[in-house]
Coordinates of all heavy atoms in Angstrom, one line a residue:
M4 N -7.9 -99.7 106.4 CA -6.7 -99.6 107.3 C -6.3 -101.0 107.7 O -7.1 -101.8 108.1 CB -7.1 -98.8 108.5 CG -6.0 -98.6 109.5 SD -6.4 -97.6 110.9 CE -7.0 -96.1 110.2
A5 N -5.0 -101.2 107.6 CA -4.4 -102.5 107.9 C -4.0 -102.5 109.4 O -3.7 -101.5 110.0 CB -3.2 -102.8 107.1
R6 N -4.0 -103.7 110.0 CA -3.7 -103.9 111.4 C -2.3 -103.3 111.7 O -2.0 -102.7 112.7 CB -3.7 -105.3 111.8 CG -3.3 -105.6 113.3 CD -3.3 -107.0 113.6 NE -4.7 -107.4 114.1 CZ -5.0 -108.6 114.5 NH1 -4.1 -109.5 114.6 NH2 -6.2 -108.8 115.0
E7 N -1.4 -103.4 110.7 CA 0.0 -102.9 110.9 C 0.0 -101.4 111.1 O 1.0 -100.9 111.5 CB 0.9 -103.4 109.7 CG 1.0 -104.8 109.5 CD -0.2 -105.6 108.9 OE1 -0.9 -104.9 108.2 OE2 -0.4 -106.7 109.3
E8 N -1.0 -100.7 110.6 CA -1.0 -99.3 110.8 C -1.5 -98.8 112.1 O -1.5 -97.6 112.4 CB -1.9 -98.7 109.7 CG -1.4 -99.0 108.3 CD -2.4 -98.5 107.2 OE1 -2.6 -97.2 107.1 OE2 -3.0 -99.3 106.5
L9 N -2.0 -99.7 113.0 CA -2.5 -99.4 114.3 C -1.4 -99.5 115.4 O -0.5 -100.4 115.2 CB -3.7 -100.3 114.6 CG -4.8 -100.3 113.6 CD1 -5.8 -101.4 114.0 CD2 -5.5 -99.0 113.6
T10 N -1.6 -98.8 116.4 CA -0.7 -98.9 117.6 C -1.5 -99.8 118.6 O -2.6 -99.4 119.1 CB -0.4 -97.6 118.2 OG1 0.3 -96.8 117.3 CG2 0.5 -97.7 119.5
R11 N -0.9 -101.0 118.9 CA -1.6 -101.9 119.8 C -1.3 -101.4 121.3 O -0.1 -101.2 121.6 CB -1.1 -103.3 119.6 CG -1.8 -104.3 120.5 CD -1.2 -105.7 120.1 NE -1.9 -106.7 120.9 CZ -2.0 -107.9 120.5 NH1 -1.3 -108.4 119.5 NH2 -2.6 -108.8 121.3
L12 N -2.3 -101.2 122.1 CA -2.2 -100.7 123.4 C -2.2 -101.8 124.5 O -1.8 -101.5 125.6 CB -3.3 -99.6 123.7 CG -3.3 -98.4 122.8 CD1 -4.5 -97.6 123.1 CD2 -2.0 -97.6 122.9
T13 N -2.7 -102.9 124.1 CA -3.0 -104.0 125.1 C -2.7 -105.3 124.6 O -2.5 -105.5 123.4 CB -4.5 -104.0 125.6 OG1 -5.3 -104.2 124.4 CG2 -4.9 -102.7 126.2
G14 N -2.6 -106.3 125.5 CA -2.6 -107.7 125.2 C -1.3 -108.1 124.5 O -1.3 -108.4 123.3
Q15 N -0.2 -108.3 125.2 CA 1.0 -108.7 124.7 C 0.9 -110.2 124.1 O 0.4 -111.0 124.8 CB 2.1 -108.8 125.7 CG 2.5 -107.4 126.2 CD 3.0 -106.5 125.1 OE1 3.7 -106.9 124.2 NE2 2.5 -105.2 125.1
V16 N 1.2 -110.4 122.9 CA 1.1 -111.7 122.3 C 1.9 -112.7 123.1 O 3.1 -112.4 123.4 CB 1.5 -111.7 120.8 CG1 1.5 -113.1 120.2 CG2 0.6 -110.8 120.0
G17 N 1.3 -113.8 123.4 CA 2.0 -114.8 124.2 C 1.9 -114.6 125.7 O 2.4 -115.4 126.5
G18 N 1.2 -113.5 126.1 CA 1.0 -113.3 127.5 C 0.0 -114.2 128.0 O -0.6 -115.0 127.3
P19 N -0.3 -114.1 129.3 CA -1.2 -115.1 130.0 C -2.6 -115.0 129.5 O -3.3 -116.0 129.6 CB -1.1 -114.7 131.5 CG -0.6 -113.3 131.5 CD 0.3 -113.1 130.2
E20 N -3.1 -113.9 129.0 CA -4.4 -113.8 128.6 C -4.6 -113.7 127.1 O -5.7 -113.6 126.6 CB -5.0 -112.5 129.2 CG -4.9 -112.3 130.7 CD -6.0 -113.2 131.3 OE1 -7.0 -113.4 130.7 OE2 -5.8 -113.5 132.5
C21 N -3.5 -113.9 126.3 CA -3.6 -113.7 124.9 C -2.8 -114.7 124.1 O -1.6 -115.0 124.5 CB -3.0 -112.3 124.5 SG -3.2 -111.8 122.8
D22 N -3.4 -115.3 123.1 CA -2.7 -116.3 122.3 C -3.1 -116.1 120.8 O -4.3 -116.0 120.5 CB -3.2 -117.7 122.8 CG -2.5 -118.8 122.1 OD1 -1.3 -118.6 121.7 OD2 -3.1 -119.9 122.0
D23 N -2.1 -116.0 120.0 CA -2.3 -115.9 118.5 C -3.1 -114.7 118.1 O -3.9 -114.7 117.2 CB -3.0 -117.2 118.0 CG -2.2 -118.4 118.2 OD1 -0.9 -118.3 118.1 OD2 -2.7 -119.5 118.3
D24 N -3.0 -113.6 118.8 CA -3.6 -112.3 118.4 C -5.2 -112.4 118.5 O -5.8 -111.6 117.8 CB -3.2 -111.9 117.0 CG -2.2 -110.7 117.1 OD1 -1.9 -110.2 118.2 OD2 -1.8 -110.3 116.0
D25 N -5.7 -113.3 119.2 CA -7.2 -113.5 119.2 C -7.9 -113.1 120.5 O -9.0 -113.4 120.8 CB -7.6 -114.9 118.9 CG -7.1 -115.9 120.0 OD1 -6.4 -115.5 120.9 OD2 -7.5 -117.1 119.9
C26 N -7.2 -112.2 121.3 CA -7.8 -111.8 122.6 C -8.3 -110.4 122.5 O -8.0 -109.7 121.5 CB -6.7 -111.9 123.7 SG -5.2 -111.0 123.3
P27 N -9.1 -110.0 123.4 CA -9.6 -108.6 123.4 C -8.5 -107.6 123.5 O -7.5 -107.8 124.2 CB -10.5 -108.5 124.7 CG -10.8 -109.9 125.0 CD -9.7 -110.7 124.6
N28 N -8.5 -106.6 122.7 CA -7.5 -105.6 122.6 C -8.0 -104.2 122.2 O -9.1 -104.1 121.7 CB -6.5 -105.9 121.5 CG -5.5 -107.0 122.0 OD1 -4.8 -106.8 122.9 ND2 -5.5 -108.1 121.3
L29 N -7.2 -103.2 122.5 CA -7.5 -101.8 122.1 C -6.3 -101.4 121.3 O -5.2 -101.6 121.6 CB -7.6 -100.9 123.4 CG -8.8 -100.0 123.5 CD1 -10.1 -100.8 123.3 CD2 -8.8 -99.3 124.8
Y30 N -6.7 -100.7 120.1 CA -5.7 -100.2 119.2 C -6.0 -98.7 119.0 O -7.1 -98.3 119.1 CB -5.8 -100.9 117.9 CG -5.6 -102.4 117.9 CD1 -6.6 -103.2 118.1 CD2 -4.3 -102.9 117.6 CE1 -6.4 -104.6 118.1 CE2 -4.1 -104.2 117.6 CZ -5.2 -105.1 117.8 OH -5.0 -106.5 117.8
R31 N -4.9 -97.9 118.7 CA -5.1 -96.5 118.4 C -4.7 -96.3 117.0 O -3.7 -96.8 116.5 CB -4.2 -95.7 119.3 CG -4.6 -94.2 119.3 CD -3.9 -93.4 120.4 NE -4.6 -92.2 120.5 CZ -4.2 -91.2 121.4 NH1 -3.2 -91.4 122.2 NH2 -4.9 -90.1 121.4
T32 N -5.5 -95.5 116.3 CA -5.3 -95.1 114.9 C -4.4 -93.9 114.8 O -4.2 -93.2 115.8 CB -6.6 -94.8 114.1 OG1 -7.1 -93.6 114.6 CG2 -7.6 -96.0 114.3
S33 N -3.8 -93.7 113.6 CA -2.9 -92.5 113.5 C -3.7 -91.2 113.6 O -3.0 -90.2 114.0 CB -2.3 -92.5 112.1 OG -3.3 -92.5 111.1
D34 N -5.0 -91.2 113.5 CA -5.7 -89.9 113.7 C -6.3 -89.8 115.2 O -7.0 -88.9 115.5 CB -6.9 -89.7 112.7 CG -8.0 -90.8 112.8 OD1 -7.9 -91.6 113.7 OD2 -8.9 -90.7 112.0
G35 N -5.9 -90.8 116.0 CA -6.3 -90.6 117.5 C -7.5 -91.3 117.9 O -7.9 -91.3 119.1
S36 N -8.2 -92.0 117.0 CA -9.4 -92.8 117.4 C -9.0 -94.2 117.8 O -7.8 -94.5 117.7 CB -10.4 -92.8 116.3 OG -9.9 -93.5 115.1
F37 N -9.9 -95.0 118.3 CA -9.6 -96.3 118.8 C -10.4 -97.4 118.0 O -11.5 -97.2 117.6 CB -10.0 -96.4 120.3 CG -9.1 -95.4 121.1 CD1 -9.6 -94.2 121.4 CD2 -7.9 -95.8 121.6 CE1 -8.9 -93.3 122.1 CE2 -7.1 -94.9 122.4 CZ -7.6 -93.6 122.6
V38 N -9.7 -98.5 117.9 CA -10.3 -99.7 117.4 C -10.4 -100.8 118.5 O -9.3 -101.0 119.1 CB -9.5 -100.2 116.1 CG1 -10.1 -101.6 115.6 CG2 -9.5 -99.2 115.0
V39 N -11.5 -101.3 118.7 CA -11.7 -102.3 119.8 C -11.9 -103.7 119.2 O -12.7 -103.9 118.3 CB -12.9 -101.9 120.7 CG1 -13.2 -102.9 121.8 CG2 -12.8 -100.5 121.2
Q40 N -11.2 -104.7 119.8 CA -11.3 -106.1 119.4 C -11.9 -106.8 120.6 O -11.3 -106.7 121.7 CB -10.0 -106.7 119.0 CG -10.0 -108.1 118.7 CD -8.6 -108.7 118.4 OE1 -7.6 -107.9 118.3 NE2 -8.5 -110.0 118.3
G41 N -13.0 -107.5 120.5 CA -13.6 -108.2 121.6 C -14.6 -109.2 121.1 O -14.8 -109.4 119.9
N42 N -15.3 -109.8 122.1 CA -16.3 -110.8 121.8 C -17.6 -110.0 121.3 O -18.0 -109.1 121.9 CB -16.6 -111.6 123.0 CG -15.4 -112.4 123.4 OD1 -14.7 -112.9 122.6 ND2 -15.1 -112.5 124.7
V43 N -18.2 -110.6 120.3 CA -19.4 -110.0 119.8 C -20.5 -110.0 120.9 O -20.7 -111.0 121.6 CB -19.9 -110.7 118.6 CG1 -21.3 -110.2 118.1 CG2 -18.9 -110.6 117.4
S44 N -21.2 -108.9 121.1 CA -22.3 -108.8 122.1 C -23.6 -108.6 121.4 O -23.7 -108.0 120.3 CB -22.0 -107.6 123.0 OG -23.1 -107.5 123.9
D45 N -24.7 -109.2 122.0 CA -26.0 -109.0 121.4 C -27.0 -108.4 122.4 O -28.2 -108.6 122.4 CB -26.6 -110.3 120.8 CG -26.7 -111.4 121.9 OD1 -26.4 -111.1 123.1 OD2 -27.1 -112.5 121.6
V46 N -26.4 -107.5 123.3 CA -27.3 -106.9 124.3 C -28.4 -106.0 123.8 O -29.4 -105.8 124.4 CB -26.5 -106.2 125.4 CG1 -25.6 -107.2 126.2 CG2 -25.6 -105.1 124.9
F47 N -28.1 -105.4 122.6 CA -29.1 -104.6 121.9 C -28.6 -104.5 120.4 O -27.5 -104.8 120.1 CB -29.4 -103.2 122.5 CG -28.2 -102.3 122.4 CD1 -28.0 -101.4 121.3 CD2 -27.4 -102.1 123.5 CE1 -27.0 -100.5 121.3 CE2 -26.3 -101.2 123.5 CZ -26.1 -100.4 122.4
T48 N -29.5 -104.1 119.5 CA -29.1 -104.0 118.1 C -28.6 -102.5 117.9 O -29.4 -101.6 118.0 CB -30.3 -104.3 117.2 OG1 -30.8 -105.6 117.6 CG2 -29.9 -104.2 115.8
P49 N -27.3 -102.4 117.5 CA -26.8 -101.1 117.2 C -27.2 -100.6 115.8 O -27.8 -101.3 115.0 CB -25.3 -101.3 117.2 CG -25.1 -102.7 116.8 CD -26.3 -103.5 117.3
S50 N -27.0 -99.3 115.6 CA -27.3 -98.7 114.3 C -26.6 -99.4 113.1 O -25.5 -100.0 113.4 CB -27.0 -97.2 114.3 OG -27.6 -96.5 115.3
T51 N -27.1 -99.2 111.9 CA -26.4 -99.8 110.8 C -25.0 -99.2 110.7 O -24.7 -98.0 110.9 CB -27.2 -99.3 109.5 OG1 -28.5 -99.8 109.6 CG2 -26.5 -99.9 108.2
G52 N -24.1 -100.1 110.4 CA -22.7 -99.8 110.3 C -21.9 -99.8 111.6 O -20.7 -99.5 111.6
E53 N -22.6 -100.1 112.7 CA -22.0 -100.2 114.0 C -22.0 -101.6 114.5 O -22.8 -102.4 114.0 CB -22.6 -99.3 115.0 CG -22.5 -97.8 114.6 CD -23.1 -96.9 115.7 OE1 -23.8 -97.4 116.6 OE2 -22.9 -95.7 115.5
A54 N -21.2 -101.9 115.5 CA -21.2 -103.3 116.1 C -20.9 -103.1 117.6 O -20.4 -102.1 118.0 CB -20.1 -104.2 115.5
L55 N -21.3 -104.1 118.4 CA -21.1 -104.1 119.8 C -20.1 -105.2 120.1 O -20.2 -106.3 119.6 CB -22.4 -104.4 120.6 CG -23.5 -103.5 120.4 CD1 -24.7 -104.0 121.2 CD2 -23.2 -102.1 120.8
V56 N -19.1 -104.9 120.9 CA -18.2 -105.9 121.4 C -18.0 -105.7 122.9 O -18.2 -104.6 123.4 CB -16.8 -105.8 120.7 CG1 -16.9 -106.1 119.2 CG2 -16.1 -104.5 121.0
E57 N -17.7 -106.8 123.6 CA -17.4 -106.8 125.0 C -15.9 -107.0 125.2 O -15.3 -107.8 124.6 CB -18.1 -107.9 125.7 CG -19.6 -107.8 125.8 CD -20.3 -108.9 126.6 OE1 -19.8 -109.1 127.7 OE2 -21.3 -109.4 126.1
I58 N -15.3 -106.2 126.1 CA -13.9 -106.3 126.5 C -13.8 -106.3 128.0 O -14.6 -105.5 128.6 CB -13.0 -105.3 125.8 CG1 -13.4 -103.8 126.2 CG2 -12.9 -105.4 124.3 CD1 -12.4 -102.8 125.8
P59 N -12.9 -107.0 128.6 CA -12.8 -107.0 130.0 C -12.2 -105.6 130.5 O -11.5 -104.9 129.8 CB -11.7 -108.1 130.3 CG -11.7 -108.9 129.1 CD -12.1 -108.0 127.9
E60 N -12.6 -105.3 131.7 CA -12.1 -104.1 132.4 C -10.6 -104.0 132.4 O -10.0 -102.9 132.2 CB -12.6 -104.0 133.8 CG -12.2 -102.7 134.5 CD -12.8 -102.6 135.9 OE1 -13.9 -103.1 136.2 OE2 -12.1 -102.1 136.8
R61 N -9.9 -105.1 132.6 CA -8.5 -105.1 132.6 C -7.9 -104.6 131.3 O -6.8 -103.9 131.3 CB -7.9 -106.5 132.9 CG -8.2 -107.5 131.9 CD -7.5 -108.8 132.1 NE -8.0 -109.8 131.1 CZ -7.7 -109.8 129.8 NH1 -6.9 -108.9 129.4 NH2 -8.2 -110.7 129.0
V62 N -8.6 -104.8 130.2 CA -8.1 -104.3 128.9 C -8.1 -102.8 128.9 O -7.2 -102.1 128.4 CB -8.9 -104.9 127.7 CG1 -8.5 -104.3 126.4 CG2 -8.6 -106.4 127.7
L63 N -9.2 -102.2 129.4 CA -9.3 -100.7 129.4 C -8.3 -100.1 130.4 O -7.6 -99.1 130.1 CB -10.7 -100.3 129.9 CG -11.8 -100.6 128.9 CD1 -13.2 -100.2 129.5 CD2 -11.6 -99.9 127.6
R64 N -8.1 -100.8 131.5 CA -7.1 -100.3 132.5 C -5.7 -100.3 131.9 O -4.9 -99.4 132.0 CB -7.1 -101.1 133.8 CG -8.3 -100.9 134.6 CD -8.3 -101.7 135.9 NE -9.5 -101.5 136.7 CZ -9.7 -100.5 137.5 NH1 -8.7 -99.7 137.7 NH2 -10.8 -100.4 138.2
E65 N -5.4 -101.4 131.1 CA -4.1 -101.5 130.5 C -3.9 -100.4 129.4 O -2.8 -99.9 129.3 CB -4.0 -102.9 129.9 CG -2.6 -103.2 129.3 CD -2.5 -104.6 128.7 OE1 -3.4 -105.5 128.9 OE2 -1.5 -104.8 128.0
A66 N -4.9 -100.1 128.7 CA -4.9 -99.1 127.7 C -4.6 -97.7 128.3 O -3.8 -96.9 127.8 CB -6.1 -99.1 126.8
V67 N -5.3 -97.4 129.4 CA -5.1 -96.2 130.1 C -3.7 -96.0 130.5 O -3.1 -95.0 130.4 CB -6.1 -96.0 131.2 CG1 -5.8 -94.9 132.1 CG2 -7.5 -95.9 130.7
R68 N -3.1 -97.1 131.1 CA -1.7 -97.1 131.5 C -0.8 -96.8 130.3 O 0.1 -96.1 130.4 CB -1.3 -98.3 132.2 CG -1.8 -98.4 133.7 CD -1.1 -99.5 134.4 NE -1.4 -100.8 133.9 CZ -2.5 -101.6 134.2 NH1 -3.4 -101.1 135.1 NH2 -2.7 -102.7 133.7
A69 N -1.1 -97.5 129.2 CA -0.2 -97.4 128.0 C -0.2 -96.0 127.5 O 0.8 -95.5 126.9 CB -0.7 -98.4 126.9
L70 N -1.4 -95.3 127.6 CA -1.5 -93.9 127.1 C -1.0 -92.9 128.1 O -0.9 -91.7 127.8 CB -3.0 -93.6 126.8 CG -3.5 -94.4 125.5 CD1 -5.0 -94.3 125.5 CD2 -2.9 -93.9 124.3
G71 N -0.7 -93.3 129.3 CA -0.2 -92.4 130.4 C -1.3 -91.5 130.9 O -1.0 -90.4 131.4
W72 N -2.6 -91.9 130.8 CA -3.7 -91.1 131.3 C -3.8 -91.2 132.8 O -4.0 -92.0 133.5 CB -5.0 -91.4 130.6 CG -5.0 -91.1 129.2 CD1 -4.1 -90.4 128.5 CD2 -6.0 -91.4 128.3 NE1 -4.5 -90.3 127.2 CE2 -5.6 -90.9 127.0 CE3 -7.2 -92.1 128.4 CZ2 -6.4 -91.0 125.9 CZ3 -8.0 -92.3 127.2 CH2 -7.6 -91.7 126.0

Protein backbone atom coordinates (compact mmCIF):
# COMPACT_ATOMS: atom_id res chain seq x y z
CA MET A 1 0.00 0.00 0.00
CA ALA A 2 1.37 3.42 -0.92
CA ARG A 3 1.28 6.44 1.38
CA GLU A 4 -0.95 8.19 -1.18
CA GLU A 5 -3.65 5.58 -0.54
CA LEU A 6 -3.86 6.50 3.17
CA THR A 7 -5.91 9.23 4.81
CA ARG A 8 -3.62 11.30 7.00
CA LEU A 9 -5.38 12.18 10.27
CA THR A 10 -2.66 14.18 12.03
CA GLY A 11 0.40 16.40 11.65
CA GLN A 12 -0.09 19.10 9.06
CA VAL A 13 3.09 19.35 6.98
CA GLY A 14 4.86 22.58 7.85
CA GLY A 15 3.04 22.82 11.18
CA PRO A 16 4.84 23.59 14.42
CA GLU A 17 5.50 19.93 15.27
CA CYS A 18 6.05 18.51 11.78
CA ASP A 19 8.68 19.07 9.12
CA ASP A 20 9.17 17.18 5.85
CA ASP A 21 6.66 14.42 6.68
CA ASP A 22 8.97 12.97 9.35
CA CYS A 23 6.85 13.50 12.48
CA PRO A 24 4.63 11.06 14.39
CA ASN A 25 1.34 10.57 12.54
CA LEU A 26 -1.75 8.43 12.34
CA TYR A 27 -3.17 7.33 9.00
CA ARG A 28 -6.38 5.47 8.15
CA THR A 29 -6.52 2.80 5.47
CA SER A 30 -9.40 2.30 3.03
CA ASP A 31 -10.52 -0.77 5.01
CA GLY A 32 -10.70 1.19 8.29
CA SER A 33 -7.50 0.08 10.00
CA PHE A 34 -4.74 2.45 11.11
CA VAL A 35 -1.08 2.91 10.26
CA VAL A 36 1.07 4.56 12.93
CA GLN A 37 4.27 6.50 12.24
CA GLY A 38 6.44 7.18 15.26
CA ASN A 39 9.79 6.71 16.93
CA VAL A 40 10.97 3.12 17.24
CA SER A 41 10.59 1.79 20.78
CA ASP A 42 12.47 -1.05 22.42
CA VAL A 43 10.45 -1.41 25.65
CA PHE A 44 9.89 -5.09 24.80
CA THR A 45 10.34 -7.40 21.82
CA PRO A 46 7.13 -7.76 19.80
CA SER A 47 6.08 -10.86 17.88
CA THR A 48 7.57 -11.57 14.46
CA GLY A 49 6.10 -9.24 11.86
CA GLU A 50 5.18 -6.57 14.40
CA ALA A 51 6.94 -3.40 15.54
CA LEU A 52 6.60 -0.95 18.42
CA VAL A 53 6.49 2.81 17.92
CA GLU A 54 5.95 5.68 20.33
CA ILE A 55 3.67 8.58 19.47
CA PRO A 56 2.80 11.59 21.62
CA GLU A 57 -0.63 11.79 23.26
CA ARG A 58 -1.36 14.94 21.24
CA VAL A 59 -1.24 12.85 18.05
CA LEU A 60 -3.94 10.49 19.35
CA ARG A 61 -6.08 13.42 20.49
CA GLU A 62 -5.74 15.05 17.07
CA ALA A 63 -6.73 11.81 15.34
CA VAL A 64 -9.81 11.39 17.55
CA ARG A 65 -10.89 14.95 16.67
CA ALA A 66 -10.28 14.31 12.95
CA LEU A 67 -12.48 11.20 13.10
CA GLY A 68 -15.20 13.03 15.03
CA TRP A 69 -15.18 10.52 17.90
